[in-house]
């Protein structure tokens, strides 16, 4: 039986919030908000990058982005910002998700004849492609948040770009290092526009913070310092008609998120719909960018948003089918004795394996890697997505086995990788050796943050709004509730839900579980729980 453990020393929501944020007072949080509002978080070379970009106002500028939510919002912020400044020849290119993979590549560089390239949410690892761009005489600005390539001697290796802005790769280059690509593009565009006559920083923040917040939430960045301020501002501005783009507003409306959305609403409703467009189609990033930057009439905007929601429903069905296959494999082959959990599902859709890996990691409380089979240059390869859990560092685990991989990339919590058919078994055996370094206590207990009485639930829910947004770095609190007593409504105390769920009627609030019905068999209907 699972044991309950209190994982914090906090005794109130306020204490828990400050503990999560690593501060001693709420005034420190206010300072974050003020610094973001004023633009006083230091990012080295930001003004130089904006100045260099302005020189290409009447020349070709190509944005090279990425196909996830962060890459799509990054690209959209740059497109809108450059055009607002008055750039006359702006275009974008996104690598094909399945046939090319992450980051700027030779094919993209070959298609750009002259002018300026701005990479966003990628570029720091594009050493060879950017070298080729420079040899062609192109100017290159890198806006990225990924870690640098590490050489054999442990040194960072950087691409030969004209300017690199990447606080995660260049030590001491910024006051805050937790930005996603969209956060950096947001700061770049505000710096770019600050040169315009009558620049209104407040209006510019309203216009672009919604997209920056979406990217920050979508890339699961820690909501501390400037990220916290950006997301807090963006959640308010993205629902303002005429401030948010018509496309983004329509998507929020279709998802039922136009009234006081939370970070959780965005993470579970908007981000999956946006990502679905590229998960199910090699060049689906075009649909993402069209939707996020659309400023046409409301009817057309609604059509684009409905398409995203429909594609997401298809994605959900594919995920459900894939989960059934995975669960069957896990049960038959006893994979749960191994760390991490590694599955090969040859016919799995490439765009869904990452979602499945994340679901399995959460369900079984261990890192998970799911592979599908692809053919590349007449060679059978296994392409996978990895998700971490607990103290397991996915990127570090792969760094130690890079000689077995065709290619890989990612960060602590998630990564993509490709391995040859001949090396898959050897890779798995190597990764299984990590079990001794894995903190298995994360899967042995049920943790909670605060204990409250059932009579305090409604008041607690109201108080929680003060400390939004919740997300990475400020997780939504887990409460242990005592003293819940079912009450009679319409002649019944409880109601069965689905195959194993149950709803207990209560005074003011109800209790719902989708899996605990069997545990309540034999418990009196009016018993205090």
């Amino acid at each position: 039986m699972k044991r309950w453990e209190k994982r914090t020393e906090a005794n109130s929501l306020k204490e828990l919030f400050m503990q999560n944020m690593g501060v001693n007072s709420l005034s420190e949080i206010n300072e974050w908000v003020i610094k973001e509002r004023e633009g006083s978080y230091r990012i080295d070379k930001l003004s130089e990058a904006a100045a260099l970009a302005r020189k290409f106002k009447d020349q070709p500028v190509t944005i090279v982005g990425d196909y996830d939510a962060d890459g799509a919002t990054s690209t959209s912020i740059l497109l809108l910002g450059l055009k607002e400044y008055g750039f006359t020849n702006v275009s974008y290119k996104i690598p094909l998700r399945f046939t090319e993979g992450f980051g700027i590549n030779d094919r993209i560089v070959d298609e750009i004849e002259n002018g300026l390239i701005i990479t966003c949410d990628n570029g720091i690892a594009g050493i060879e492609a950017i070298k080729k761009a420079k040899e062609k005489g192109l100017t290159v600005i890198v806006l990225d948040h990924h870690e640098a390539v590490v050489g054999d001697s442990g040194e960072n290796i950087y691409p030969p770009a004209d300017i690199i802005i990447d606080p995660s790769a260049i030590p001491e280059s910024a006051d805050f290092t937790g930005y996603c690509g969209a956060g950096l593009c947001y700061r770049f565009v505000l710096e770019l526009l600050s040169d315009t006559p009558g620049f209104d920083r407040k209006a510019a923040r309203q216009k672009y913070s919604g997209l920056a917040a979406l990217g920050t939430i979508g890339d699961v960045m820690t909501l501390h310092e400037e990220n916290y301020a950006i997301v807090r501002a963006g959640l308010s501005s993205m629902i303002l008609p005429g401030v948010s783009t018509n496309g983004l507003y329509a998507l929020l409306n279709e998802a039922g998120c136009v009234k006081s959305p939370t970070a959780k609403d965005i993470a579970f409703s908007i981000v999956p719909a946006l990502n679905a467009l590229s998960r199910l189609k090699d060049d689906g990033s075009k649909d993402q960018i069209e939707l996020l930057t659309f400023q046409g009439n409301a009817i057309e905007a609604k059509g684009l948003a409905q398409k995203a929601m429909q594609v997401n429903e298809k994605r959900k069905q594919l995920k459900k089918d894939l989960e059934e296959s995975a669960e069957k494999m896990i049960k038959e082959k006893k994979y749960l004795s191994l760390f991490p959990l590694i599955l090969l599902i040859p016919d799995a859709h490439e765009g869904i394996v990452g979602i499945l890996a994340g679901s399995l990691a959460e369900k079984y409380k261990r890192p998970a890697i799911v592979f599908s089979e692809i053919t590349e240059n007449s060679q059978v390869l296994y392409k996978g997505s990895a998700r971490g859990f607990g103290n397991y560092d996915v990127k570090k685990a792969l760094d130690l086995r890079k000689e077995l991989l065709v290619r890989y990339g990612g960060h602590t919590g998630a990564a993509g990788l490709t391995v040859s058919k001949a090396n898959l078994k050897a890779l798995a055996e190597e990764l299984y050796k990590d079990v001794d370094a894995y903190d298995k206590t994360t899967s042995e207990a049920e943790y909670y943050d605060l204990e409250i009485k059932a009579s305090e639930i409604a008041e607690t829910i109201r108080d929680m709004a003060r400390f939004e947004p919740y997300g990475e770095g400020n997780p939504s609190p887990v409460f242990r509730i005592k003293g819940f007593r079912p009450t009679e409504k319409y002649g019944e105390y409880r109601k069965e839900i689905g195959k194993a769920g149950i709803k207990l009627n209560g005074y003011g609030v109800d209790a719902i579980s989708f899996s605990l019905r069997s545990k309540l068999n034999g418990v009196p209907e009016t018993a205090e729980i």
Side-chain angles (χ1 to χ4, degrees), residues 110-130:
D110 288 340
E111 293 178 355
I112 302 172
E113 294 301 322
N114 51 67
L116 170 66
I117 292 175
I118 304 178
T119 72
C120 57
D121 193 30
N122 76 101
I124 196 67
I127 295 171
E128 293 303 317
I130 291 176

Side-chain angles (χ1 to χ4, degrees), residues 329-340:
M329 290 178 63
I330 290 170
K331 182 178 180 180
E332 290 178 352
K333 300 189 178 183
K334 300 180 180 179
Y335 280 115
L336 293 183
S337 63
L338 301 171
F339 290 83

Side-chain angles (χ1 to χ4, degrees), residues 197-233:
F199 172 67
D200 185 340
R201 184 174 182 84
K202 179 180 179 180
R205 286 176 62 249
Q206 273 198 325
K207 183 172 182 179
Y208 295 100
S209 63
L211 288 169
L214 174 51
T216 301
I217 296 167
D219 224 33
V220 199
M221 306 308 294
T222 301
L223 300 184
H224 290 181
E225 300 247 3
E226 189 160 19
N227 280 351
Y228 174 83
I230 289 172
V231 171
R232 191 173 176 88

Side-chain angles (χ1 to χ4, degrees), residues 145-324:
H145 71 110
H146 293 91
E147 296 177 2
V149 173
V150 178
D152 293 335
S153 301
E155 77 283 7
N156 286 348
I157 301 175
Y158 301 108
D162 293 86
I163 294 179
I164 298 174
I165 295 176
D166 187 338
S168 296
I170 304 175
E172 310 299 326
S173 64
D175 290 339
F176 174 62
T177 62
Y179 301 98
C180 66
L184 290 172
C185 290
Y186 167 75
R187 286 296 306 277
F188 172 81
V189 163
L190 293 186
E191 182 68 28
L192 179 76
L193 295 174
S194 68
D195 184 57
T196 57
F199 172 67
D200 185 340
R201 184 174 182 84
K202 179 180 179 180
R205 286 176 62 249
Q206 273 198 325
K207 183 172 182 179
Y208 295 100
S209 63
L211 288 169
L214 174 51
T216 301
I217 296 167
D219 224 33
V220 199
M221 306 308 294
T222 301
L223 300 184
H224 290 181
E225 300 247 3
E226 189 160 19
N227 280 351
Y228 174 83
I230 289 172
V231 171
R232 191 173 176 88
L235 288 171
S236 298
S237 65
M238 68 172 61
I239 58 174
L240 298 176
V243 173
S244 179
T245 65
N246 291 348
L248 176 56
Y249 186 83
L251 182 59
L252 290 164
N253 192 49
E254 287 298 312
C257 295
V258 290
K259 292 184 178 180
S260 302
T262 65
K264 183 177 180 179
D265 294 330
I266 301 303
F268 287 93
S269 297
I270 303 302
V271 171
L274 185 62
N275 277 334
L277 292 169
S278 69
R279 285 189 183 280
L280 301 190
K281 193 168 69 168
D282 207 10
D283 64 346
S285 56
K286 293 179 182 178
D287 297 328
Q288 293 174 311
I289 306 303
E290 181 183 14
L291 173 59
L292 291 176
T293 62
F294 187 77
Q295 292 286 38
N297 67 61
I299 295 176
E300 290 182 68
K302 182 176 182 178
L304 293 173
Q306 288 177 334
K307 176 184 176 182
M309 299 300 287
Q310 290 164 1
V311 173
N312 193 39
E313 288 302 313
K314 181 179 179 181
R315 188 271 306 169
K316 289 179 182 178
Q317 185 59 51
L318 287 171
K319 178 184 177 242
K320 181 180 178 182
D321 295 342
L322 196 57
E323 281 178 330
E324 292 176 358

